[in-house]
Amino acid sequence: MPRYLSMVRIQEGTIDMASADPGFEQRMGALFEEITKAGVMLDTAGLKPTAESTRITWSDGELSCTDGPFTETKEVVGGYALMQCKDMAEAVEWGKRFLEVHPKEWLVGLEVREVEEPGL
């Protein structure tokens, strides 16, 4: 069964967990329990801010490292989920359900991509 990487895209610094409605964590917990019991969720986590990250670039045969934050970047990957689904439609459906549990005033997006399996 194919695997899909769902990357949570946010505008860094615009989401404050303290602003979440009281039921947010409960809704998210219930969804994670459901997706885990369904055998879909392989791994998930939030990511630390870009201020605590480093970009490594290979260009013209040279490596360079740039420490965050990356002020030129508006949208960043704020978390991820690795899922095993029967097809892209199922992965997208789980992604929609994930977004729907968030407070409606937050701007959160997902990019869902199938993982390219070795030898396929």
Side-chain angles (χ1 to χ4, degrees), residues 96-115:
K96 288 177 180 179
R97 292 187 59 198
F98 170 79
L99 290 177
E100 289 173 338
V101 302
H102 288 78
K104 63 182 176 182
E105 63 275 6
W106 287 7
L107 177 58
V108 183
L110 286 180
E111 180 179 337
V112 180
R113 296 173 66 180
E114 185 172 351
V115 174

Side-chain angles (χ1 to χ4, degrees), residues 2-78:
R3 295 180 300 158
Y4 296 87
L5 181 64
S6 173
M7 294 169 279
V8 181
R9 301 185 93 25
I10 61 168
Q11 290 192 11
E12 195 168 50
T14 64
I15 293 179
D16 177 17
M17 288 301 292
S19 72
D21 61 88
F24 171 64
E25 288 186 28
Q26 184 179 0
R27 292 190 310 272
M28 188 63 73
L31 178 63
F32 281 2
E33 183 176 335
E34 181 182 353
I35 195 171
T36 301
K37 283 182 179 177
V40 171
M41 183 68 73
L42 301 176
D43 189 30
T44 188
L47 300 176
K48 292 198 173 199
T50 61
E52 299 178 42
S53 66
T54 300
R55 285 187 180 162
I56 306 168
T57 305
W58 175 256
S59 178
D60 294 323
E62 299 285 328
L63 287 171
S64 64
C65 295
T66 306
D67 292 333
F70 310 113
T71 55
E72 73 282 0
T73 303
K74 292 182 180 181
E75 189 179 76
V76 300
V77 176

Side-chain angles (χ1 to χ4, degrees), residues 83-99:
M83 303 177 292
Q84 192 164 32
C85 301
K86 65 182 177 192
D87 55 25
M88 177 63 86
E90 181 184 12
V92 168
E93 187 58 34
W94 283 112
K96 288 177 180 179
R97 292 187 59 198
F98 170 79
L99 290 177

